[in-house]
Amino acid sequence: MASALLANPTYQLQPSAEQVALQTNYITNFNFLNQYLPDTYEKEFERYGNRTIASFLRMVGAEMPSNSDQIKWAEQGRLHIKYTNITSAAAINANTATFTVADAGVTYIAIRVNQTVMIQNNTTGVFNKAVVTAVPSATTFTVAYYEATGQAFAVSTQCTVFIYGSEFKKGTPGMVGSLEAEDEIYSNKPIILKDKYSVNGSDMAQIGWVEVTTENGATGYLWYLKSEHETRLRFEDYIETAMIEAVPAEVGSGAIAALGQAGVANSAGSQGIFYVVNNRGNVWGGGTPTSLPDWDTIVSRLDKQGAIEENVIFVNRGLSFDIDNMLATLNGYNGAAVGQSASFGLFDNDVDMALNLGFTGFRRGYDFYKSDWKYLNDPTMRGGLNNAAATATGTITGLLVPAGSTSVYDQIMGKNAKRPFLHVRYRASEAEDRRYKTWITGSAGGAQTSDLDAMEVNFLSERCVCTLGANNFVLFRFG
């Protein structure tokens, strides 16, 4: 059914703040064709409310300094060993067999003589248990089966193997070789963000007669003051959204030629949160999970990852409503059924009280807390993309972020450290702090740095975001 909400009024997508009180925003300009001076409200009406979107990283992350062009850390590998693409060179019912491991990226196997393994047919599920008798090469191993019937599947059948223990004869030497911990090394590089606000000295002397305010509390009757504060707020928003949206430049790309080192991947750009979770995390490709079985699928995946007890889901309005509707239905409410009532919370809703149709969280295997993410709703950012094509491939509807911190080996510090799953590293040293720099140049507004008849406010930050344990994140998108 088509929406009954008409298209007008729409929202303005272009910045509304001007540097000075021009004809388009100076409302007390007097027209001598009119008999009376128009009545004017002296305070600007904030029709769009709080327009800033920088809140996500402040809620879930932390900031810490770094003095290098590259941030590196190590994340622990799996404790147990498993390969999912192995094939046997022996025929069915054979008592021994040699397997070849063909898992992607595996150049040597961590399987040793006298370890006991379980081998399962990937298609039918039939399995054998065996003891390893030899490791002929870097990617092959030989086993002797415990079952008298021998191998339960045919030659060249694709199987999975995992180690569950070991067994030795009496009076024999111990295990050959050492099984070392396997770490995965990740890195990211900071990017430099800049912005500038400029107003000439003459315009600074012009007074606007409407009181203006901005989201950070600045107030006054000078339009240029409002514009400077909005430039600052816009820059703060970009600092955060760059950490969310940044991507590394590929070899051969125009960005490498413009900003990086030719032929060197990742020498320009950075790995933002969306990029990392898309490539190393979990992706829900159906847009919005709308039923309990959908969330059961997500919980089952989290069971196979870090099993973090508490998680926060940052959602757009569509996913927020889908979660509310799912929980309402489970709680006995059905808007289409007569005689059923909404009984959310500790007390039943009464006809004389305001009906609360929203939920802040739920527990299904783990604790999930729901939070609206303004960035995904803002029409000038990703919210506008969602409105234009709500189910378009790649449209992001939410992000699940594990709460708390994790322990990693910091390559720069050279020791283990506790870090939030999401945190920002900014360039800093004893002589220079580039977390958030601002300085004024020119000769107007009290600045005396040059003969330029203007005031220029400069902004700079150099930073990157580190997404630790991306396997514990879930990105909700279409396609």
Side-chain angles (χ1 to χ4, degrees):
M1 182 178 66
S3 174
L5 187 65
L6 301 182
N8 292 320
T10 183
Y11 43 80
Q12 184 173 337
L13 293 177
Q14 303 303 320
S16 59
E18 298 287 344
Q19 288 188 357
V20 294
L22 302 176
Q23 184 177 0
T24 56
N25 59 17
Y26 193 68
I27 65 174
T28 57
N29 56 323
F30 183 70
N31 186 343
F32 285 94
L33 297 179
N34 295 328
Q35 185 177 1
Y36 303 106
L37 185 70
D39 289 334
T40 60
Y41 289 97
E42 66 173 17
K43 187 172 179 61
E44 176 190 46
F45 180 69
E46 301 172 23
R47 63 173 176 172
Y48 287 122
N50 187 332
R51 294 161 297 160
T52 58
I53 60 175
S55 60
F56 171 68
L57 286 175
R58 284 201 293 263
M59 291 177 63
V60 300
E63 293 184 343
M64 54 196 71
S66 172
N67 54 15
S68 175
D69 274 332
Q70 190 177 44
I71 314 298
K72 297 186 71 175
W73 68 92
E75 297 183 11
Q76 63 181 200
R78 291 285 188 179
L79 184 62
H80 302 290
I81 298 165
K82 179 180 180 181
Y83 302 104
T84 60
N85 185 9
I86 69 169
T87 52
S88 170
I92 191 170
N93 300 132
N95 289 324
T96 63
T98 297
F99 286 85
T100 299
V101 178
D103 287 54
V106 175
T107 57
Y108 69 91
I109 57 175
I111 295 178
R112 295 173 291 167
V113 175
N114 287 107
Q115 287 184 320
T116 51
V117 296
M118 176 173 171
I119 302 168
Q120 185 181 51
N121 184 327
N122 288 348
T123 303
T124 66
V126 298
F127 64 88
N128 288 109
K129 293 187 176 179
V131 60
V132 179
T133 57
V135 183
S137 72
T139 57
T140 62
F141 64 97
T142 302
V143 301
Y145 292 115
Y146 281 100
E147 295 85 1
T149 54
Q151 185 169 288
F153 39 82
V155 62
S156 300
T157 300
Q158 190 177 60
C159 299
T160 290
V161 61
F162 69 86
I163 299 168
Y164 68 85
S166 61
E167 184 177 358
F168 290 82
K169 281 185 178 181
K170 291 182 179 180
T172 58
M175 185 70 74
V176 176
S178 173
L179 181 59
E180 303 295 336
E182 182 180 357
D183 283 336
E184 296 186 35
I185 309 300
Y186 298 106
S187 65
N188 202 0
K189 62 171 287 295
I191 56 175
I192 300 172
L193 298 99
K194 296 182 181 181
D195 211 330
K196 179 188 289 186
Y197 170 76
S198 178
V199 58
N200 65 60
S202 296
D203 288 338
M204 289 182 67
Q206 186 172 1
I207 298 176
W209 295 109
V210 178
E211 183 181 4
V212 295
T213 58
T214 58
E215 281 83 350
N216 63 358
T219 184
Y221 290 88
L222 300 175
W223 280 102
Y224 82 85
L225 189 65
K226 173 183 173 63
S227 292
E228 188 276 331
H229 278 286
E230 293 203 348
T231 300
R232 185 182 301 270
L233 291 173
R234 188 177 299 115
F235 180 66
E236 291 174 355
D237 278 0
Y238 289 160
I239 286 178
E240 175 166 308
T241 55
M243 300 298 96
I244 295 170
E245 298 282 359
V247 297
E250 299 176 352
V251 173
S253 66
I256 283 283
L259 300 170
Q261 183 178 350
V264 179
N266 303 333
S267 60
S270 188
Q271 296 183 17
I273 298 168
F274 285 167
Y275 174 86
V276 172
V277 180
N278 255 316
N279 287 273
R280 301 206 312 265
N282 307 286
V283 177
W284 178 270
T288 59
T290 58
S291 65
L292 201 59
D294 288 345
W295 283 99
D296 289 347
T297 301
I298 295 170
V299 169
S300 297
R301 174 65 65 86
L302 295 178
D303 283 341
K304 296 176 173 61
Q305 304 300 334
I308 308 302
E309 185 67 21
E310 295 185 333
N311 303 271
V312 183
I313 314 165
F314 294 89
V315 297
N316 71 355
R317 186 60 67 189
L319 179 51
S320 179
F321 283 159
D322 284 340
I323 293 175
D324 287 345
N325 292 340
M326 177 194 72
L327 297 176
T329 302
L330 294 173
N331 206 38
Y333 170 74
N334 185 342
V338 178
Q340 291 189 357
S341 62
S343 57
F344 310 162
L346 182 62
F347 303 102
D348 289 344
N349 281 306
D350 186 81
V351 294
D352 296 325
M353 65 183 290
L355 187 62
N356 182 6
L357 294 177
F359 292 84
T360 58
F362 62 96
R363 179 171 180 82
R364 182 71 170 178
Y366 305 101
D367 289 323
F368 299 98
Y369 304 101
K370 176 166 66 72
S371 176
D372 288 327
W373 193 359
K374 191 173 183 180
Y375 175 57
L376 296 182
N377 292 321
D378 192 293
T380 62
M381 302 298 279
R382 276 195 175 262
L385 300 178
N386 294 345
N387 289 339
T391 60
T393 299
T395 297
I396 292 174
T397 60
L399 177 69
L400 183 149
V401 179
S405 60
T406 185
S407 180
V408 296
Y409 183 81
D410 191 306
Q411 299 277 9
I412 304 299
M413 298 174 59
K415 61 181 181 180
N416 284 328
K418 279 282 188 181
R419 294 284 182 262
F421 285 94
L422 281 178
H423 65 275
V424 171
R425 300 294 294 267
Y426 58 88
R427 291 295 296 273
S429 68
E430 294 180 358
E432 175 77 358
D433 188 337
R434 297 168 69 83
R435 174 182 175 270
Y436 190 110
K437 287 187 66 175
T438 180
W439 67 96
I440 298 176
T441 57
S443 62
Q448 303 294 329
T449 62
S450 71
D451 61 356
L452 178 67
D453 183 19
M455 179 184 74
E456 293 185 341
V457 184
N458 300 272
F459 305 94
L460 179 145
S461 182
E462 186 173 1
R463 58 180 56 208
C464 69
V465 64
C466 298
T467 307
L468 306 184
N471 58 299
N472 297 292
F473 289 67
V474 180
L475 185 68
F476 300 95
R477 62 175 173 80
F478 287 97

